[in-house]
């Protein structure tokens, strides 16, 4: 009997946060830094535990809307010209999932300078205190740089620079709280530590929020939007794969619970693409070998994000091995047939099927005859499982209707998402 997987939401958030920072080594640990600094300032202000929890989660996810490499690098400038786009994108992504709706408001205004938001309003909207804390924490994190070597020497200059912006960029009360925290060498050594995620887990006590299977599906859908909405080329892909894989699993005799797990795996299968710059995903033309090597890393990162989450072992395998081949020539682990469970084989077929049949901005999807020919050729070359492809072929029209329906719904969500942006 398949067990009900349970994971802690905080562990999942930390894994996602770590992956977002993989876009560039220049922003390594940035989300963890902001979460830690915001927590320390909030703790100094004696904020209630629930507010401290919100600051940690908001800090860990505050830049999920910075979708491109350029946006992430631009955010490293101390004073930003137009920071509101990615903050609004982050807000729109987070508000769709109820447990994140409160922190979405904090994230939305985390780049509003204090003198713009004085009186607790910005453009007619309330600016929470937590947003001002995140703003200060974000700017301090930028000033710390990427090296721990001389942070104690540089710490006094960072404090002076922050203090010079009191009552302009930053709320004076928060600057004073930061100065009280900044006298401790341990603060600077921890914030620049390569083990900051461990520091956060040991210093912070968050309530255990276990995700049941149905709730995990909602979280998976949220993160599929973060993955897919980065590029118009992939805006509906994860939804199509999830629906196709779930339906194929049903046809292959999976139980209802296993089919739900397959849907979750489908929404998460490209999670590692958060580590691939959107400029590569949207490149108009053939990828260089270097660029393709970067793309080939994404299932590895999907695996590394999900692997620490106890209870998700089957979902992790189904999601992460979708580019492996039965003859061992796939990537990134070069597993062979005896290493690949049926769920992973179903995911591989669903991923290829959606990739060749879905419409993209630069080409139309394949017809049934074209798609079947490609699938059969991949079976012949030991790239795809014969049984799963045979199941798909025998119910091609049904599977294709499921795919189209899911992608149509995702396309509407994508359109609505960008129409609702206010930046």
């Amino acid at each position: 009997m398949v067990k009900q997987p349970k994971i802690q939401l905080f562990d999942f958030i930390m894994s996602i946060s770590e992956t977002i920072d993989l876009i560039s080594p220049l922003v390594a640990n940035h989300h963890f830094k902001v979460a830690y600094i915001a927590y320390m300032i909030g703790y100094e202000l004696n904020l209630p535990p629930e507010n401290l929890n919100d600051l940690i989660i908001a800090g860990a996810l505050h830049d999920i809307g910075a979708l491109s490499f350029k946006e992430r690098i631009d955010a490293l400038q101390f004073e930003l010209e137009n920071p509101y786009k990615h903050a609004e994108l982050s807000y729109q992504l987070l508000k769709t999932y109820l447990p994140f709706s409160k922190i979405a408001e904090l994230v939305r205004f985390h780049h509003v300078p204090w003198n713009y938001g004085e009186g607790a309003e910005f453009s007619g909207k309330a600016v929470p205190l937590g947003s001002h804390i995140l703003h200060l924490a974000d700017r301090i994190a930028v000033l710390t740089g990427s090296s721990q070597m001389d942070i104690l020497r540089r710490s006094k200059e960072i404090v002076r620079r922050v203090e010079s912006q009191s009552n302009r960029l930053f709320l004076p009360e928060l600057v004073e709280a930061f100065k009280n925290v900044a006298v401790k060498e341990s603060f600077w050594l921890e914030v620049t530590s390569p083990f900051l995620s461990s520091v956060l887990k040991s210093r912070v006590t968050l309530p255990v929020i276990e995700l049941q299977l149905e709730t995990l599906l909602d979280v998976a859908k949220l993160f599929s939007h973060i993955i897919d909405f980065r590029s118009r080329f992939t805006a509906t892909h994860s939804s199509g794969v999830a629906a196709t894989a779930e339906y194929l699993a049903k046809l292959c005799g999976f139980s209802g619970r296993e089919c739900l797990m397959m849907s979750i795996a489908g929404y998460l299968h490209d999670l590692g693409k958060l580590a691939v710059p959107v400029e590569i995903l949207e490149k108009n033309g053939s990828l260089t070998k270097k660029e393709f090597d970067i793309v080939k890393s994404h299932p590895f990162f999907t695996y590394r994000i999900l692997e620490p989450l106890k209870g998700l072992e089957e979902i992790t395998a189904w999601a992460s091995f979708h580019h492996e081949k039965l003859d061992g020539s796939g990537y990134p682990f070069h597993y062979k047939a005896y290493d690949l469970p049926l769920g992973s084989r179903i995911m591989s077929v669903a991923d290829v099927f959606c990739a060749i049949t879905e419409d993209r901005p630069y080409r139309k999807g394949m017809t049934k005859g074209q798609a079947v020919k490609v699938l059969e050729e991949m079976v012949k070359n030991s790239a795809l499982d014969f049984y799963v492809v045979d199941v798909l072929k025998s119910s091609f029209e049904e599977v294709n209707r499921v795919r189209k329906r899911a992608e149509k719904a995702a396309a509407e969500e994508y359109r609505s998402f960008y129409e609702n942006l206010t930046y």
Side-chain angles (χ1 to χ4, degrees), residues 17-74:
S17 180
E18 189 172 27
T19 305
I20 296 170
D21 285 344
L22 289 171
I23 290 177
S24 169
L26 294 176
V27 292
N29 265 358
H30 177 70
H31 281 85
F32 290 160
K33 285 183 179 182
V34 174
Y36 173 78
I37 297 168
Y39 168 81
M40 293 299 288
I41 293 172
Y43 187 84
E44 180 67 23
L45 293 170
N46 293 314
L47 295 184
E50 61 268 24
N51 294 124
L52 296 177
N53 295 343
D54 290 342
L55 285 173
I56 294 165
I57 298 174
L61 298 175
H62 72 283
D63 274 349
I64 62 170
L67 304 180
S68 71
F69 177 81
K70 183 179 185 301
E71 285 175 311
R72 299 306 311 280
I73 298 303
D74 286 349

Side-chain angles (χ1 to χ4, degrees), residues 256-303:
R257 185 179 300 279
E258 288 173 311
C259 288
L260 187 55
M261 291 168 61
M262 184 62 70
S263 178
I264 293 169
Y267 281 116
L268 297 177
H269 81 286
D270 273 348
L271 196 54
K273 281 188 176 176
L274 291 173
V276 179
V278 72
E279 291 81 2
I280 293 179
L281 297 177
E282 290 199 329
K283 183 177 179 180
N284 186 16
S286 300
L287 298 179
T288 65
K289 184 181 183 306
K290 180 180 178 181
E291 290 168 338
F292 185 56
D293 284 343
I294 293 173
V295 172
K296 285 171 67 176
S297 71
H298 81 268
F300 170 82
F301 287 120
T302 295
Y303 181 77

Side-chain angles (χ1 to χ4, degrees), residues 181-215:
V181 171
V183 298
K184 303 173 185 177
E185 290 86 354
S186 59
F187 167 79
W188 297 104
L189 294 172
E190 285 184 338
V191 83
T192 53
S193 168
F195 312 109
L196 188 52
S197 62
S198 298
V199 172
L200 271 174
K201 289 178 182 179
S202 65
R203 293 287 298 275
V204 175
T205 303
L206 279 171
V208 175
I209 305 173
E210 289 190 336
L211 300 182
Q212 302 297 324
L213 203 59
E214 291 75 13
T215 309

Side-chain angles (χ1 to χ4, degrees), residues 14 31 42 44 46 49 54 57 93 127 148 164 178 180 210 215 221 223 233 246 265 270 272 297 310 323 347 412:
M14 290 295 102
H31 281 85
E44 180 67 23
N46 293 314
D54 290 342
I57 298 174
L93 287 166
V127 179
Q148 190 184 44
S164 72
F178 164 61
N180 291 338
E210 289 190 336
T215 309
K221 288 179 180 178
F223 285 110
F233 292 171
E246 180 182 16
D270 273 348
S297 71
K310 303 306 178 186
H323 283 295
M347 191 64 64
E412 177 58 29

Side-chain angles (χ1 to χ4, degrees), residues 33 36-37 139-160 162 178 181-194 196:
K33 285 183 179 182
Y36 173 78
I37 297 168
R139 298 300 86 195
I140 295 169
V142 166
L143 291 174
T144 60
S146 57
S147 173
Q148 190 184 44
M149 293 296 292
D150 60 346
I151 188 61
L152 296 181
R153 178 183 61 81
R154 293 188 291 111
S155 62
K156 292 181 175 55
E157 175 56 33
I158 293 173
V159 171
R160 281 195 294 269
V162 168
F178 164 61
V181 171
V183 298
K184 303 173 185 177
E185 290 86 354
S186 59
F187 167 79
W188 297 104
L189 294 172
E190 285 184 338
V191 83
T192 53
S193 168
L196 188 52

Side-chain angles (χ1 to χ4, degrees), residues 207-252:
V208 175
I209 305 173
E210 289 190 336
L211 300 182
Q212 302 297 324
L213 203 59
E214 291 75 13
T215 309
L216 181 57
L217 179 63
D218 290 337
V219 178
K221 288 179 180 178
L222 166 66
F223 285 110
S224 76
H225 289 162
I226 298 171
I227 302 159
D228 290 353
F229 285 8
R230 299 174 72 211
S231 169
R232 68 189 190 281
F233 292 171
T234 61
T236 65
H237 180 67
S238 292
S239 294
V241 171
T244 300
E246 180 182 16
Y247 196 75
L248 285 174
K250 179 181 178 181
L251 295 175
C252 289

